[in-house]
Amino acid sequence: MEKNGEAAAEWRVAVAVDGSEESMHALGWSLRNVLSASAKNTVVLLYARPPPPIYPSTDTSGYLFSDEEITTMEQYNKEVENSVIDKAQTILKNHDNIKVEKRIATGDARDVICDTVDRVGADLLVMGSHGYGFVKRALLGSVSDYCIHHAKCPVLIVKRP
Amino acid sequence: MEKNGEAAAEWRVAVAVDGSEESMHALGWSLRNVLSASAKNTVVLLYARPPPPIYPSTDTSGYLFSDEEITTMEQYNKEVENSVIDKAQTILKNHDNIKVEKRIATGDARDVICDTVDRVGADLLVMGSHGYGFVKRALLGSVSDYCIHHAKCPVLIVKRP
């Protein structure tokens, strides 16, 4: 990848993973086709942890979730996160010459991905074209569409065949 | 790029050009960062020629453009096409080890790009994130947004810094 108009010897390729088959295919594809070119390349796994639910208010009219419900939701989110990272690790096992970094941040996937790509100095962002759930996509628009317009580096969208 | 899940030795990279600075930057970027890796790679330049204007009807109530006006528009489109190809050739001059193919087809840029990518067996489509005019974009949506969802190969969007 290039820095300041010059092709660089080392690529830092950020891959956004969310547990969807699409994102895991994108990770595998970029490892085989982009990252495997040089042992100096680094893959930066990005995972956006969903933001915490709204906490109970002392004012009962503002009650939303009990402590117990929040603990259950947090446990569920933690399990999802572990499952995503496990899936990614399985794919990475076949490419043990490639350097791996992980970045997990809490918040809306669109903001987390664009901010982190910038912070880690990625030369390229790779994403699946879908993921992050049908309902959320319908409400907020596709995460990949957002990142294409807002990430500061080139964005590669890989679809499942 | 890969065929049937195996990383291929040769990449056929289609780059959509439209004369915008964005698309020329995307061409230069992909030559330096993707195509220069191997002399076996091929860049396929895609240019969508605007569809012909609506022709005059024998019924005067259906009159839209005179023959003269149509000739002027066709000449203008031809000049634009030549200017785009010239710009692209200038950028390609610095990479004379890379094989070049050109595909020019008439029609809406979105259809032309997606169809041609499929027909030439491109492993990757590279586009600038904008181009094709502000008004057209506002009316039809971004060409790149469309191609991301409809092209059959991975799509790389390169923005100007």
Side-chain angles (χ1 to χ4, degrees):
Chain A
M1 285 291 155
E2 69 183 21
K3 314 271 187 194
N4 309 317
E6 290 295 315
E10 298 173 31
W11 289 26
R12 284 174 70 73
V13 179
V15 182
V17 289
D18 66 345
S20 67
E21 287 295 320
E22 290 269 342
S23 78
M24 292 301 154
H25 175 76
L27 173 61
W29 191 95
S30 53
L31 286 164
R32 291 189 298 275
N33 293 287
V34 182
L35 284 146
S36 59
S38 160
K40 285 181 178 173
N41 295 336
T42 303
V43 57
V44 186
L45 286 184
L46 306 186
Y47 177 71
R49 186 189 286 142
I54 297 156
Y55 281 90
S57 163
T58 46
D59 172 4
T60 50
S61 68
Y63 174 86
L64 281 165
F65 294 110
S66 70
D67 282 347
E68 212 170 282
E69 284 163 337
I70 288 167
T71 310
T72 309
M73 281 188 272
E74 283 176 347
Q75 272 175 349
Y76 172 75
N77 284 342
K78 189 71 199 161
E79 277 165 29
V80 171
E81 179 183 322
N82 290 342
S83 141
V84 173
I85 299 300
D86 283 354
K87 276 188 192 178
Q89 296 282 22
T90 308
I91 294 168
L92 286 163
K93 258 187 202 156
N94 301 323
H95 301 270
D96 51 8
N97 60 326
I98 295 167
K99 286 177 277 184
V100 182
E101 291 178 20
K102 279 174 228 155
R103 291 286 187 281
I104 297 170
T106 303
D108 182 89
R110 303 179 302 169
D111 301 323
V112 164
I113 294 169
C114 292
D115 290 353
T116 314
V117 156
D118 196 22
R119 209 171 313 124
V120 302
D123 303 296
L124 179 70
L125 166 63
V126 182
M127 306 183 76
S129 63
H130 288 115
Y132 300 101
F134 174 75
V135 175
K136 204 164 179 188
R137 208 158 64 226
L139 290 171
L140 300 173
S142 149
V143 175
S144 55
D145 283 353
Y146 181 89
C147 294
I148 285 158
H149 294 290
H150 294 87
K152 288 192 182 150
C153 64
V155 181
L156 175 61
I157 303 294
V158 183
K159 275 158 291 201
R160 273 204 300 165
Chain B
M1 286 289 157
E2 68 183 20
K3 312 271 185 194
N4 309 321
E6 290 295 315
E10 297 173 33
W11 289 27
R12 284 174 69 72
V13 179
V15 182
V17 289
D18 67 345
S20 68
E21 288 295 319
E22 291 270 343
S23 78
M24 292 301 155
H25 174 77
L27 173 61
W29 191 95
S30 53
L31 286 164
R32 291 190 298 276
N33 292 287
V34 182
L35 285 146
S36 59
S38 161
K40 287 182 177 170
N41 295 335
T42 304
V43 58
V44 185
L45 286 184
L46 306 185
Y47 177 71
R49 186 190 286 140
I54 298 156
Y55 281 90
S57 165
T58 47
D59 173 5
T60 49
S61 67
Y63 174 86
L64 282 165
F65 295 109
S66 70
D67 283 347
E68 211 169 281
E69 284 163 337
I70 288 166
T71 309
T72 309
M73 282 187 273
E74 284 177 346
Q75 272 174 350
Y76 172 75
N77 285 343
K78 189 72 200 160
E79 278 165 29
V80 171
E81 179 183 322
N82 291 342
S83 142
V84 172
I85 300 299
D86 283 354
K87 276 188 191 178
Q89 297 281 21
T90 309
I91 295 167
L92 286 163
K93 258 187 202 157
N94 302 321
H95 302 270
D96 50 8
N97 59 326
I98 295 167
K99 284 177 278 183
V100 183
E101 290 178 21
K102 277 174 229 157
R103 292 287 186 281
I104 298 171
T106 303
D108 182 271
R110 302 178 303 168
D111 301 324
V112 164
I113 294 168
C114 292
D115 291 352
T116 314
V117 156
D118 196 23
R119 208 169 316 123
V120 301
D123 302 296
L124 179 71
L125 166 63
V126 182
M127 306 183 76
S129 64
H130 289 114
Y132 300 100
F134 174 75
V135 174
K136 204 164 178 187
R137 208 158 62 227
L139 290 172
L140 299 175
S142 149
V143 175
S144 55
D145 283 352
Y146 180 89
C147 295
I148 285 159
H149 294 290
H150 294 87
K152 287 193 182 150
C153 64
V155 181
L156 174 61
I157 304 293
V158 183
K159 276 158 291 201
R160 272 205 301 166

